[in-house]
Amino acid sequence: MTIQLISENKVAGGLHQQFEFDSVALKSTTRFAIFLPPQAIQGQSVPVIYWLSGLTCSDENFMQKAGAFKTAAKLGLCIVAPDTSPRGENIPDDTEKSYDFGVGAGFYVNATQKPWATHYHMYDFIVDELPNVIENHFNVTAQRALAGHSMGGHGAMMIGLRNPDCYSSISAFSPICQPSQCPWGIKAFSGYLGADPEEWRAYDSTELIKAIDSNQFVPMLVDQGDKDNFLAEQLTPEPFIDVATQRDYPLTFRMQEGYDHSYYFISSFIDDHLHFHHQHF
């Protein structure tokens, strides 16, 4: 597979690059951003953290706002940030152009309903296609971790719980913890997966953590701000925490006083997350 470089910047002794390629899973051209630490540029293979962003975001938001490069360079960590949905002229979008469904809001599922089923296979893209591209084109190992924010926090937790053999660790900021029971998730799952709530359970982290084998537990770190406007209605971490506690899952959940849903919050604690993943590689 050919990937095309579209931008490059030196930062923290490493490189931030953007590439695009024709995705089989998404049946469209897609873009990702990658931070290669100095170690990778010098020929050393390094582990990869896949960052999944939230609603309305692209590959650019985390890379420009999180302030992760200096610590990632010091620890020798590659960071990859894909887009949040298929995108392009022939990609279906919500007719009302709402921010929480359609383009920019793929929810990291494999859509089964028309017209979304042709292109909206973000789950397959993240789990299979993107890692294959990264591991075939860059100086990286097969060691992977997942992290994300909001909708992307849902994606990181859900994908990690469904594929525990593929990831060393999982972390999230302000994740949608029980999407089958909140307005964002119900809207997205109804559109992409259909009206049967049983079909939604396979993409709901609170349901998945109930069923995962204890031999496959993957360490998880979650940070949540107590001043987050979406906390009570959309993010609902309590049921997830309750099940994790009952199952003795290795979850570290931190409620951070005074923080909201923004990248000010993420940038304040991103170093903790990078060190967390580094210790589990």
Side-chain angles (χ1 to χ4, degrees):
M1 178 180 292
T2 301
I3 62 174
Q4 181 178 354
L5 179 68
I6 56 177
S7 77
E8 178 177 281
N9 302 92
K10 185 172 183 178
V11 57
L15 284 176
H16 169 270
Q17 299 174 315
Q18 289 177 299
F19 290 88
E20 64 180 17
F21 69 97
D22 293 329
S23 166
V24 175
L26 305 181
K27 294 183 174 58
S28 66
T29 299
T30 194
R31 191 171 72 182
F32 68 88
I34 185 168
F35 171 70
L36 294 167
Q39 297 88 334
I41 296 170
Q42 295 162 7
Q44 177 183 334
S45 294
V46 299
V48 185
I49 298 173
Y50 290 88
W51 174 270
L52 307 184
S53 289
L55 293 168
T56 76
C57 293
S58 69
D59 64 292
E60 296 184 340
N61 299 72
F62 176 83
M63 295 302 201
Q64 294 179 1
K65 298 179 180 180
F69 297 139
K70 288 183 178 179
T71 297
K74 179 180 178 180
L75 297 176
L77 300 174
C78 173
I79 303 174
V80 173
D83 206 344
T84 52
S85 76
R87 207 178 291 260
E89 291 184 5
N90 298 318
I91 302 301
D93 193 8
D94 181 40
T95 55
E96 298 180 357
K97 302 294 183 182
S98 59
Y99 76 96
D100 55 355
F101 188 70
V103 171
F107 269 83
Y108 304 101
V109 304
N110 284 341
T112 59
Q113 304 300 302
K114 294 181 179 179
W116 318 103
T118 300
H119 297 282
Y120 282 71
H121 284 192
M122 289 299 296
Y123 178 86
D124 283 349
F125 178 75
I126 298 298
V127 174
D128 296 318
E129 186 173 20
L130 182 60
N132 287 336
V133 169
I134 300 303
E135 290 166 18
N136 283 324
H137 287 87
F138 302 96
N139 282 329
V140 300
T141 69
Q143 292 177 294
R144 308 173 192 168
L146 280 167
H149 172 230
S150 194
M151 177 185 72
H154 140 72
M157 290 163 50
M158 174 270 293
I159 289 172
L161 289 168
R162 286 183 55 155
N163 301 275
D165 294 338
C166 296
Y167 303 99
S168 301
S169 52
I170 306 163
S171 77
F173 290 86
S174 316
I176 304 170
C177 292
Q178 197 174 22
S180 67
Q181 302 296 320
C182 76
W184 279 342
I186 292 170
K187 179 178 180 178
F189 286 2
S190 298
Y192 295 137
L193 304 174
D196 185 358
E198 286 301 309
E199 299 296 321
W200 307 351
R201 294 166 64 90
Y203 296 104
D204 187 312
S205 294
T206 299
E207 297 299 326
L208 292 167
I209 202 170
K210 295 176 183 178
I212 188 172
D213 192 299
S214 60
N215 294 323
Q216 296 184 304
F217 285 172
V218 178
M220 186 183 300
L221 170 64
V222 175
D223 274 317
Q224 172 65 60
D226 70 352
K227 299 301 183 184
D228 191 319
N229 291 337
F230 303 112
L231 178 56
E233 183 179 23
Q234 303 285 8
L235 308 181
T236 60
E238 292 83 2
F240 182 81
I241 296 169
D242 289 345
V243 176
T245 301
Q246 293 167 14
R247 299 220 55 206
D248 199 25
Y249 190 94
L251 167 68
T252 300
F253 182 92
R254 308 189 305 187
M255 185 65 75
Q256 303 289 4
E257 183 179 358
Y259 286 90
D260 58 18
H261 198 73
S262 71
Y263 267 86
Y264 294 112
F265 172 42
I266 294 171
S267 66
S268 298
F269 298 100
I270 189 61
D271 286 356
D272 290 354
H273 286 239
L274 297 178
H275 281 284
F276 170 76
H277 292 299
H278 181 258
Q279 74 182 37
H280 291 291
F281 281 131

